[in-house]
Amino acid sequence: MHQETCELTTTHRCQTIDVMPQIQRFLAGCGPTHSGILLVFSPHTTAGVMINEKTDPHVRQDILDHMQRLVPADSGFTHAEGNSDAHIKTMLTGVSVQIPVVSGRPLLGTWQTVYFIDYDGPRKRELLLTFLRKGE
Amino acid sequence: MHQETCELTTTHRCQTIDVMPQIQRFLAGCGPTHSGILLVFSPHTTAGVMINEKTDPHVRQDILDHMQRLVPADSGFTHAEGNSDAHIKTMLTGVSVQIPVVSGRPLLGTWQTVYFIDYDGPRKRELLLTFLRKGE
Amino acid sequence: MHQETCELTTTHRCQTIDVMPQIQRFLAGCGPTHSGILLVFSPHTTAGVMINEKTDPHVRQDILDHMQRLVPADSGFTHAEGNSDAHIKTMLTGVSVQIPVVSGRPLLGTWQTVYFIDYDGPRKRELLLTFLRKGE
């Protein structure tokens, strides 16, 4: 098993970061011949991980805008820190994705990439990459 | 590790397909004695995977209808292809499920099955099945 | 691979249960030196699993309240059992989480814990814990 923590910095309250560069570098370090499952995990309660469209930036913006419609910040929440909307958006998004890897290559579809999504930035954040491979 | 790609064909814009036949066939081919984790992964950005009720078809229809209420196609999106609703529904659904497998048998609950959900069909689609087993 | 089924009992229709005590006990039984991926899986179609804030109980209540707003029980569903809202909430929540484990320790963030969420209790429920470790 290989395990690594990446550091990320967000600059807005709600923001997506394409983390494929980090994933590619991590898998290259694991060696090119291994197959298994990659777990991409956000250790936060107000930031998640998703797989979605990599080309048109309008898609990411439409996603963030619609999450704001589904979970408005002023929905009469009771949590004293005032960021319950970010906790709920994180729950709807999920905090991890799992990707099959064959011979060092993540089997993502043509239009897929992996995004870290911050719903309560700007902050310093972390992302855990774990590769559980066959034959260990 | 065993890895296989299944081909699926959808006939409507929004449609669920029960993929347990494909999963059962795949696990049978892996051998009956193995235990591990099965990853069911959709390599698409407008189609996901979920585990839900297998018996009453009304549940699947209620799910698709309510996703339409949560993410109407005409929400003022900016993505030029006009299918941002499908990207958002896919994000809310997730593109993979993970299932524990013991002695070749997926440990699903009595009422559970696995559905591929297309939110932007009809199309030819793929589904990746990956079985990472113990003792490899 | 280690595999265990925990029994849970809910006392309300919608309720969260922090299952870290069950997870800690399970991982302790697996031995303190192992690394791998822990799969926490709900074998139900009206109850899911999420990772979220562990300290302020208001967050859990805000989450349950907002899920009720997003999926009201009386949305004109067709499923005869009358619990389609619980099926949809379960789909939006997901029925499993995956956690990286290093040397017997789950790599959760400072504020994270794991919740079982019942959307159609009170009931007796089960939770499957599966640890696929390196070097097996």
Side-chain angles (χ1 to χ4, degrees), chain C residues 73-136:
Chain C
D74 57 350
S75 300
F77 298 121
T78 60
H79 178 44
E81 287 183 35
N83 63 349
S84 275
D85 66 310
H87 288 288
I88 297 166
K89 288 169 189 165
T90 299
M91 186 263 225
L92 294 173
T93 303
V95 297
S96 75
V97 298
Q98 292 69 229
I99 302 166
V101 174
V102 170
S103 302
R105 194 171 60 89
L107 294 191
L108 291 175
T110 312
W111 305 107
Q112 287 181 323
T113 194
V114 183
Y115 292 104
F116 178 84
I117 311 187
D118 201 333
Y119 289 117
D120 198 30
R123 298 203 199 197
K124 287 211 177 301
R125 296 290 203 175
E126 293 187 338
L127 187 69
L128 308 188
L129 304 179
T130 303
F131 182 41
L132 190 58
R133 58 183 221 218
K134 122 184 205 202
E136 288 191 294

Side-chain angles (χ1 to χ4, degrees), chain A:
Chain A
M1 194 178 85
H2 293 255
Q3 219 284 320
E4 189 179 296
T5 301
C6 304
E7 305 207 339
L8 301 173
T9 303
T10 56
T11 55
H12 295 79
R13 179 156 201 251
C14 294
Q15 182 179 348
T16 58
I17 296 178
D18 187 328
V19 292
M20 276 311 288
Q22 287 86 342
I23 289 173
Q24 297 284 14
R25 200 177 312 130
F26 171 69
L27 286 177
C30 297
T33 59
H34 297 303
S35 299
I37 291 176
L38 173 69
L39 170 61
V40 182
F41 183 88
S42 162
H44 304 287
T45 58
T46 55
V49 183
M50 72 161 177
I51 291 176
N52 218 297
E53 226 271 338
K54 72 178 168 192
T55 308
D56 184 349
H58 287 125
V59 173
R60 278 103 82 191
Q61 195 55 51
D62 284 343
I63 290 173
L64 290 178
D65 289 351
H66 201 74
M67 291 303 278
Q68 196 59 26
R69 271 178 225 125
L70 287 176
V71 194
D74 57 350
S75 300
F77 297 121
T78 60
H79 177 43
E81 287 182 36
N83 63 350
S84 276
D85 66 311
H87 288 288
I88 297 165
K89 288 168 189 164
T90 299
M91 185 264 224
L92 293 172
T93 304
V95 297
S96 75
V97 298
Q98 293 67 230
I99 302 165
V101 175
V102 170
S103 302
R105 194 171 61 87
L107 295 191
L108 290 176
T110 311
W111 305 106
Q112 286 182 323
T113 194
V114 183
Y115 292 104
F116 178 84
I117 312 186
D118 201 334
Y119 289 117
D120 198 31
R123 298 202 199 198
K124 289 212 176 301
R125 296 291 202 176
E126 293 187 339
L127 187 69
L128 307 188
L129 304 179
T130 304
F131 182 40
L132 190 59
R133 56 183 223 218
K134 120 186 207 201
E136 287 191 295

Side-chain angles (χ1 to χ4, degrees), chain B residues 35-36 50-53 56 58-59 62-63 66 69-70 93 98 100-101 107-109 111-112 119 132 134-135, chain C residues 1 3 39 41-45 70-71 75 77-80 84 87-88 91 95-96 98 128 130 132 136:
Chain B
S35 300
M50 73 160 176
I51 292 176
N52 218 298
E53 226 270 338
D56 184 349
H58 288 125
V59 174
D62 284 342
I63 289 173
H66 200 75
R69 271 177 225 125
L70 287 176
T93 304
Q98 292 69 229
V101 174
L107 295 191
L108 291 175
W111 306 106
Q112 287 182 323
Y119 289 118
L132 191 59
K134 123 186 206 202
Chain C
M1 194 178 84
Q3 220 282 322
L39 170 60
F41 183 89
S42 162
H44 304 288
T45 59
L70 288 176
V71 194
S75 300
F77 298 121
T78 60
H79 178 44
S84 275
H87 288 288
I88 297 166
M91 186 263 225
V95 297
S96 75
Q98 292 69 229
L128 308 188
T130 303
L132 190 58
E136 288 191 294

Side-chain angles (χ1 to χ4, degrees), chain B residues 7-128:
Chain B
E7 304 206 341
L8 301 173
T9 303
T10 55
T11 55
H12 296 79
R13 178 156 201 250
C14 294
Q15 182 179 348
T16 57
I17 297 177
D18 187 328
V19 291
M20 276 311 288
Q22 286 86 344
I23 289 174
Q24 297 285 14
R25 201 177 312 130
F26 170 70
L27 286 177
C30 297
T33 60
H34 298 302
S35 300
I37 290 176
L38 172 70
L39 170 61
V40 182
F41 183 89
S42 162
H44 304 288
T45 58
T46 54
V49 183
M50 73 160 176
I51 292 176
N52 218 298
E53 226 270 338
K54 72 177 168 192
T55 309
D56 184 349
H58 288 125
V59 174
R60 277 104 83 192
Q61 195 55 51
D62 284 342
I63 289 173
L64 291 178
D65 289 351
H66 200 75
M67 290 304 278
Q68 197 58 27
R69 271 177 225 125
L70 287 176
V71 194
D74 57 349
S75 301
F77 298 122
T78 60
H79 178 44
E81 287 182 35
N83 62 350
S84 276
D85 65 312
H87 288 288
I88 297 165
K89 288 168 188 163
T90 299
M91 185 264 224
L92 293 173
T93 304
V95 296
S96 75
V97 298
Q98 292 69 229
I99 302 166
V101 174
V102 169
S103 302
R105 194 170 60 88
L107 295 191
L108 291 175
T110 311
W111 306 106
Q112 287 182 323
T113 194
V114 183
Y115 292 105
F116 178 84
I117 312 187
D118 201 334
Y119 289 118
D120 198 32
R123 299 203 198 197
K124 287 208 176 304
R125 298 290 203 176
E126 293 187 338
L127 187 69
L128 307 188

